């Protein structure tokens, strides 16, 4: 069992970086089978639930949010756009209250908030909307290589429509180069889209400086702030942001709702994606889901109240996790800048250990290697590739998410189990054996047998 | 006056902790206990009676909220998490 597993690990470790196709194919098959093992299992009746350490994928709803939503699911079920009766009026009033709560969190005016079905829709709306509206005079869009899939995919679609897109590279620490951004902006650039906090490595971009730059060059600035809202202080006027995407289920709110901040002064015009009855200033037609937006509003208000308390706690817990991990086992790399980051998203690469194997071994803890929306593919995360992570290290990365509800015990348990499993998997790895003997892996010429 | 109001605050505090312990969910339970303790600790030195009254009202609303959410949690209860087994072992 030991020998076969170590050969499989060896295959998957070096097979993928080897040019020999059939060797690589068998390694890919191994990883695929292992992935299927992870995918297919729901918990048994009395099986204990794993610890939740994947707060970037989604967050549990805060009980206060559920409490705010329930009346609108049970009794106050009116359509907020019904103008002729109390059901409509009370629903509309709840919707406007929620709008103010969202606006207050980011320092905006309530009239600048549009409710959507989530950050993906908000991203689509802003990028496609701005690009298509200003199409006549401006044809160029700038984004980064580490953006969320929905941003990259929207840009891809625009490329097919004839737009010119520049995907800015990032430095090894995950941050963009401001000089390079400045040089990339052209007179015909209509939009710059750069996310505030990255969902895979937790890196925080210099949004204030980017906003300043874009304002000076007369280019609209959109930021996907799904992972940043309610976690770090945000002020759209301070930052000179023109469009901002917000997601409900990343801030302990309900799934299926989000918002888009659209600046009014100076006015940002967007071509609507969803047409219909003209709701939400004509930018997003469709009945606004009152219970969901009430939840989003409550989540934003709670986040504003708890921001400092949560941030302090999360920082302490994250430091605890990283210190313990790095002091007990060697060859652990943290991906992304150590300072310019949101502490609650820790992405670690464990050398000489395969990421999926480690996840399988840590079945008591809910973790992820890379983002949830790319976990179906076998490729290592494109974000890790963009920051120049070694191919092998990219395959060995795990993302630890720490949030409002994480306890010290959960962190200690996770760290202990992780250290245990990394040591066990390394014992089985022939690569680790070679490294212990002092062999430089980069100097080896791999042959197939 | 001050003595009875102190008793009042303490009894609210105890009630909040008693209700919070009833959360079936590990994460909600630990959060509620922690947050209540830290909130009362933080506001220990507040003197202004208006502010105190405001805080006490918030505390009463939170108590009702916790009671409702505990009931909901009990209605839709699931298995315990791995860490609770660990806690039991160490007790």
């Amino acid at each position: 069992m030991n020998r076969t597993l170590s050969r499989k690990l060896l295959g998957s470790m070096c097979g993928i970086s080897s040019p020999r196709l059939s060797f690589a194919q068998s390694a890919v098959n191994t990883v695929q089978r292992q992935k299927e093992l992870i995918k297919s299992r729901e918990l048994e009746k009395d099986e204990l639930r794993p610890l939740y350490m994947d707060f970037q994928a989604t967050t549990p709803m805060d009980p206060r949010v559920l409490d705010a939503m329930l009346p609108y699911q049970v009794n106050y079920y009116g359509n907020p756009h019904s103008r002729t009766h109390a059901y409509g009026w009370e629903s509309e009033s709840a919707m406007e209250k929620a709008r103010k709560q969202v606006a207050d969190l980011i320092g905006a005016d309530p009239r600048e908030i549009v409710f959507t079905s989530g950050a993906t829709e908000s991203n689509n709306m802003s990028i496609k909307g701005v690009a298509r509206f200003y199409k006549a005079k401006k044809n160029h869009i700038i984004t980064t290589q580490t953006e969320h899939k929905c941003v990259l995919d929207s840009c891809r679609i625009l490329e097919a429509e004839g737009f010119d897109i520049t995907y800015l590279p990032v430095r090894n620490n995950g941050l963009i180069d401001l000089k390079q951004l400045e040089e990339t902006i052209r007179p015909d650039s209509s939009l710059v889209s750069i996310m505030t906090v990255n969902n895979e490595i937790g890196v925080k971009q210099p949004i204030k400086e980017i906003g300043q730059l874009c304002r000076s060059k007369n280019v609209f600035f959109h930021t996907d702030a799904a992972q940043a809202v309610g976690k770090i202080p945000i002020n759209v006027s301070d930052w000179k942001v023109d469009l901002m995407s917000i997601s409900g289920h990343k801030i302990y709110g309900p799934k299926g709702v989000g918002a888009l901040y659209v600046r009014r002064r100076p006015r940002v015009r967007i071509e609507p994606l969803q047409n219909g009855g003209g709701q939400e200033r004509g930018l997003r037609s469709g009945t606004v889901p009152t219970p969901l937006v009430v939840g989003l509003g409550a989540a934003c208000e709670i986040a504003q109240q708890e921001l400092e308390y949560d941030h302090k706690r999360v920082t302490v817990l994250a430091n605890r996790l990283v210190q313990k991990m790095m002091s007990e086992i060697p060859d652990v790399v943290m991906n992304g800048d150590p300072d310019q980051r949101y502490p609650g998203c820790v992405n670690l690469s464990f050398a000489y250990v395969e990421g999926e194997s480690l996840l399988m071994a840590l079945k008591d803890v809910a973790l992820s290697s890379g983002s949830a929306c790319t976990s179906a593919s076998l490729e290592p995360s494109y974000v890790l590739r963009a920051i120049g992570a070694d191919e092998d290290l990219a395959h060995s990365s795990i993302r630890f998410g720490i949030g409002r509800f994480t306890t010290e015990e959960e962190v200690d348990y996770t760290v202990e189990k992780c250290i245990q499993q990394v040591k066990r998997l390394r014992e089985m790895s022939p690569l680790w054996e070679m490294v212990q003997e002092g062999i430089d892996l980069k100097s080896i010429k791999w042959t197939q047998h | 006056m001050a003595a009875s109001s102190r008793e009042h605050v303490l009894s609210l505090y105890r009630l909040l902790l008693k209700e919070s312990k009833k959360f079936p969910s590990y994460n909600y339970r630990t959060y509620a206990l922690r947050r209540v303790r830290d909130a009362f600790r933080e506001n220990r030195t507040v003197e202004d009676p208006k502010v105190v009254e405001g805080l006490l009202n918030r505390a009463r609303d939170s108590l009702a909220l916790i009671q409702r959410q505990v009931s909901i949690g009990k209605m839709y209860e699931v298995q315990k998490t791995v860490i609770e087994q660990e806690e039991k072992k160490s007790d």
Side-chain angles (χ1 to χ4, degrees), chain A residues 1 54 58 234 288:
Chain A
M1 203 326 244
D54 199 11
T58 187
I234 295 182
V288 171

Side-chain angles (χ1 to χ4, degrees), chain A residues 228-267:
Chain A
V229 171
K231 308 211 168 100
I232 58 171
I234 295 182
N235 188 300
V236 289
S237 297
D238 248 11
W239 287 3
K240 300 192 167 56
V241 166
D242 299 304
L243 295 141
M244 177 179 280
S245 303
I246 298 165
S247 172
H249 72 111
K250 304 287 164 47
I251 52 171
Y252 313 96
K255 293 175 183 54
V257 71
L260 176 65
Y261 160 75
V262 185
R263 181 175 282 282
R264 290 177 89 235
R265 300 250 173 88
R267 196 177 214 87

Side-chain angles (χ1 to χ4, degrees), chain A residues 27 33 46 68 71 78 91 108 136-137 140 142 151 155 193 244 251 265 274 363 378 398 430 447:
Chain A
R33 258 176 279 127
D46 20 310
S91 190
K137 300 241 175 83
H140 181 228
I142 303 170
V151 171
C155 291
S193 176
M244 177 179 280
I251 52 171
R265 300 250 173 88
Q274 192 156 310
K363 57 179 177 57
L378 288 170
I398 305 276
T447 58

Side-chain angles (χ1 to χ4, degrees), chain A residues 138-306:
Chain A
K138 301 194 170 189
N139 200 43
H140 181 228
I141 300 202
I142 303 170
T143 185
T144 70
Q145 291 175 3
T146 53
E147 291 297 305
H148 196 263
K149 265 282 156 79
C150 53
V151 171
L152 296 177
D153 213 49
S154 299
C155 291
R156 199 175 54 78
I157 296 290
L158 289 177
E159 267 183 308
E161 284 179 21
F163 287 87
D164 190 11
I165 320 278
T166 303
Y167 300 91
L168 282 178
V170 291
R171 297 195 297 241
N172 282 350
N173 59 1
L175 297 170
I176 57 143
D177 186 336
L178 282 164
K179 263 251 128 244
Q180 197 177 30
L181 173 61
E182 188 171 358
E183 286 159 14
T184 313
I185 296 179
R186 310 191 311 223
D188 70 333
S189 302
S190 59
L191 183 70
V192 168
S193 176
I194 297 179
M195 71 196 321
T196 315
V197 170
N198 187 282
N199 57 316
E200 287 195 39
I201 54 181
V203 167
K204 195 167 63 167
Q205 300 289 352
I207 298 295
K208 193 161 180 185
E209 286 78 3
I210 300 172
Q212 181 82 351
L213 178 61
C214 291
R215 188 59 69 81
S216 69
K217 299 259 181 166
N218 227 346
V219 188
F220 288 127
F221 177 34
H222 163 256
T223 182
D224 177 0
Q227 296 287 349
V229 171
K231 308 211 168 100
I232 58 171
I234 295 182
N235 188 300
V236 289
S237 297
D238 248 11
W239 287 3
K240 300 192 167 56
V241 166
D242 299 304
L243 295 141
M244 177 179 280
S245 303
I246 298 165
S247 172
H249 72 111
K250 304 287 164 47
I251 52 171
Y252 313 96
K255 293 175 183 54
V257 71
L260 176 65
Y261 160 75
V262 185
R263 181 175 282 282
R264 290 177 89 235
R265 300 250 173 88
R267 196 177 214 87
V268 180
R269 308 290 302 275
I270 63 181
E271 197 184 272
L273 266 176
Q274 192 156 310
N275 310 102
Q279 290 85 2
E280 297 298 286
R281 285 163 56 196
L283 296 176
R284 203 271 185 183
S285 296
T287 303
V288 171
T290 309
L292 293 177
V293 305
V294 164
L296 175 62
C300 287
E301 188 174 88
I302 294 167
Q304 191 168 18
Q305 287 167 3
E306 305 280 351

Side-chain angles (χ1 to χ4, degrees), chain A residues 2-74:
Chain A
N2 244 2
R3 293 294 277 163
T4 350
L5 192 57
S6 67
R7 243 189 241 122
K8 280 194 178 158
L9 279 172
L10 178 62
S12 59
M13 284 300 302
C14 55
I16 295 174
S17 37
S18 145
R20 290 179 170 71
L21 275 168
S22 55
F23 195 33
Q25 190 58 49
S26 71
V28 163
N29 288 340
T30 308
V31 180
Q32 182 143 38
R33 258 176 279 127
Q34 288 174 343
K35 270 195 179 291
E36 276 158 28
L37 276 169
I38 305 181
K39 250 200 270 185
S40 57
R41 278 216 321 114
E42 275 184 44
L43 290 173
E44 306 284 312
K45 255 302 158 164
D46 20 310
E47 203 178 330
L48 294 173
R49 294 184 73 73
L51 302 186
Y52 192 74
M53 298 285 290
D54 199 11
F55 281 80
Q56 279 68 44
T58 187
T59 56
M61 277 219 288
D62 193 297
R64 292 166 282 192
V65 169
L66 181 60
D67 202 71
M69 285 171 68
L70 278 171
Y72 294 90
Q73 301 275 37
V74 180

